[in-house]
Amino acid sequence: MPSASNPFHASPTFRPACEDCVPMSIASALGLKRRPDLRRNERSRVFLTAKMLVSGQPCPIHLLDLSRHGALAHAADPPRDGEIVWVVCRGVELLARTAWIRGNRFGLAFDSGLPTAKYEILLKEGRRALSAQTPIVAQGPVAA
């Protein structure tokens, strides 16, 4: 139940003593700012299996979202932050850099934009797999 005595409860009767006393998040109070979203394009949810070559070793991954310039991926053993990797999915080969890592999920920033025709094919297959709840298996081996 909202209470006027607790400034963190929303209440139409609560009025801060001064403009500087407005309740804020802990992150704001500590001076932490939200990182800007530097992505160049909208991401689309997909579900595609792919292969990633990391330090000369092949690694199976799932692509969970995709844009022309990057992707959200998942792997049992993700690469290190900033590591350069090759990604192969449905015959499309991409050079990428790991932009961030959180647990088994990581962001990939492609070295060059994914051509529109190839992007549209991956998007169509990935959306189809997402709606069917089964991944589309990557085709072709990872070349060293």
Side-chain angles (χ1 to χ4, degrees):
M1 170 128 190
S3 143
S5 64
N6 186 339
F8 295 102
H9 286 173
S11 169
T13 61
F14 171 71
R15 299 275 190 269
C18 65
E19 290 180 17
D20 294 332
C21 295
V22 176
M24 61 178 69
S25 71
I26 292 172
S28 295
L30 294 174
L32 303 175
K33 295 182 179 168
R34 175 178 272 180
R35 289 187 338 185
D37 189 348
L38 301 176
R39 293 183 272 197
R40 292 183 249 172
N41 297 98
E42 289 288 319
R43 301 257 175 141
S44 297
R45 288 187 62 207
V46 295
F47 191 44
L48 294 163
T49 60
K51 300 280 186 190
M52 180 173 64
L53 191 63
V54 183
S55 301
Q57 299 297 315
C59 171
I61 65 172
H62 287 103
L63 299 179
L64 305 176
D65 77 22
L66 183 68
S67 80
R68 291 202 52 229
H69 295 279
L72 167 64
H74 175 274
D77 187 22
R80 293 184 312 267
D81 193 14
E83 192 161 14
I84 304 298
V85 299
W86 277 102
V87 177
V88 179
C89 183
R90 309 275 306 155
V92 177
E93 295 184 21
L94 298 161
L95 183 63
R97 179 187 51 80
T98 307
W100 55 267
I101 301 167
R102 287 188 194 92
N104 292 64
R105 291 181 174 216
F106 52 98
L108 293 170
F110 302 147
D111 182 52
S112 60
L114 187 56
T116 302
K118 292 181 179 183
Y119 171 71
E120 305 244 344
I121 290 169
L122 292 177
L123 194 58
K124 180 180 175 184
E125 291 296 322
R127 284 179 173 166
R128 183 171 60 90
L130 185 64
S131 66
Q133 301 270 332
T134 56
I136 302 297
V137 179
Q139 296 178 344
V142 174

